[in-house]
Amino acid sequence: MRVAAYLNEAQVHAVSPLLLRLEVEPGSTRTVGRVLAQRNDAYTVTAFPTTNHVEALLLPAEHSAVDVIAEEELPRMGDVRSSEITLITQTYRVGSEWHGGALPPALVARLREDISRDDGNESNSIELTAIDRSIAAALESDGRATVRQVALSADVTSQFVGRRMRLLFQSGLLQMRTEVSSDLSGLRLEAHIRLAVEASRVEAVGRHLAADPAVMYCVATTGRYPLEFIVRLPHLDCLQPWLNRTFTDLPGVYVTESLTEPRLIRRANILFDNELSGKT
């Protein structure tokens, strides 16, 4: 089990998160993924060696990020065959909110009690300080650090850090991410799926998926396929029955692509690649 925090710079600057999808030369998914994982704004980077694809979720701090990536950075990456950059228009579930249905509702409510997100958009009124960034950096290095340890790192009092951490968590600017081994969770299959959905039904389908405990992540995008989600299941044999069950009452919704066998390179500030692990 690995725990880390991350600061959502896209939310700080009111910039839409980006989904970057690359088709690369055979055998180069790890190489390209490692380059993307070095980005300060990379939240997740996943390689799919079986289909020669690399996917990344970016939380950029600048509105110009699309132009810079498309016109300057990607042309310098010689192993990239094609690319697609889409904006996330609506988030229905993120990984930091997911618990796979393994925890009883009362325990989930208790765990979220102290850091429940403010329904008001309080993040717009928060100006990040150098101390805030020190707090975030301490929790990025060790998501299990105590308030006292974080306070020592930031050179302020524990009382101040406690208040500031609560504000940052409640605003959604600072979030925690926990990655659990599939050997422990029993969820050995991760499938990244794209859906074709009529525009008028995207919201309903997105919320329907977000209510399913197997769905770890679900967003609406500006891409060719308006809904993308990640589902975690015990094994591959469970995927088709789950799809049949989930979409039986949703006619006109089509699975356009389902990628399995992912190789995780980065999630939040957790780096999975051995060559990068020392740089977290």
Side-chain angles (χ1 to χ4, degrees):
M1 182 180 294
R2 303 173 68 180
V3 184
Y6 68 96
L7 196 61
N8 189 341
E9 293 280 2
Q11 184 172 320
V12 172
H13 301 284
V15 179
S16 296
L18 304 177
L19 283 175
L20 175 61
R21 181 183 176 82
L22 306 177
E23 182 184 1
V24 302
E25 296 292 341
S28 64
T29 56
R30 282 286 190 183
T31 301
V32 173
R34 289 168 184 153
V35 172
L36 292 175
Q38 300 280 8
R39 297 179 59 94
N40 292 331
D41 59 3
Y43 176 64
T44 66
V45 180
T46 308
F48 295 90
T50 57
T51 58
N52 302 316
H53 282 89
V54 178
E55 293 183 350
L57 169 59
L58 308 179
L59 305 175
E62 302 289 341
H63 290 278
S64 60
V66 172
D67 293 334
V68 173
I69 294 169
E71 297 179 10
E72 298 178 22
E73 297 179 4
L74 290 180
R76 294 198 298 264
M77 299 173 68
D79 291 322
V80 177
R81 287 180 169 181
S82 64
S83 63
E84 179 184 14
I85 304 174
T86 62
L87 302 179
I88 294 177
T89 58
Q90 179 68 40
T91 300
Y92 299 105
R93 173 173 286 170
V94 294
S96 59
E97 300 171 344
W98 178 74
H99 55 84
L103 302 178
L107 180 55
V108 172
R110 181 179 176 186
L111 290 171
R112 290 177 173 170
E113 188 176 63
D114 289 339
I115 57 171
S116 59
R117 185 164 179 170
D118 193 337
D119 290 335
N121 197 7
E122 190 176 356
S123 62
N124 289 340
S125 63
I126 295 179
E127 182 175 346
L128 289 175
T129 67
I131 293 176
D132 293 333
R133 295 188 182 279
S134 294
I135 292 172
L139 292 172
E140 287 171 5
S141 298
D142 181 6
R144 298 181 179 183
T146 65
V147 170
R148 182 175 181 276
Q149 290 171 327
V150 174
L152 288 172
S153 175
D155 195 25
V156 291
T157 67
S158 296
Q159 291 79 4
F160 178 86
V161 164
R163 291 194 300 271
R164 198 63 186 176
M165 282 175 58
R166 178 169 297 195
L167 180 62
L168 291 171
F169 279 125
Q170 288 178 336
S171 69
L173 296 179
L174 186 63
Q175 298 184 20
M176 299 296 293
R177 180 70 188 230
T178 302
E179 286 293 326
V180 180
S181 166
S182 60
D183 292 334
L184 180 62
S185 69
L187 302 174
R188 292 177 171 80
L189 174 75
E190 177 174 314
H192 293 227
I193 298 175
R194 307 171 95 187
L195 297 179
V197 187
E198 293 178 2
S200 62
R201 303 182 62 200
V202 169
E203 180 75 11
V205 176
R207 294 191 179 280
H208 175 76
L209 288 169
D212 193 305
V215 174
M216 183 175 73
Y217 175 79
C218 182
V219 295
T221 81
T222 59
R224 290 174 294 170
Y225 306 109
L227 275 176
E228 300 192 17
F229 68 96
I230 300 174
V231 62
R232 296 287 302 272
L233 297 166
H235 45 77
L236 182 60
D237 291 345
C238 298
L239 180 58
Q240 192 59 51
W242 182 88
L243 291 171
N244 294 340
R245 182 175 65 254
T246 302
F247 296 112
T248 294
D249 297 326
L250 296 173
V253 178
Y254 301 100
V255 173
T256 61
E257 187 175 58
S258 179
L259 297 180
T260 58
E261 301 298 324
R263 301 294 182 266
L264 303 183
I265 297 177
R266 176 171 179 163
R267 275 195 175 153
N269 285 293
I270 301 172
L271 297 174
F272 293 85
D273 188 279
N274 290 335
E275 294 183 18
L276 295 175
S277 59
K279 300 180 181 180
T280 303

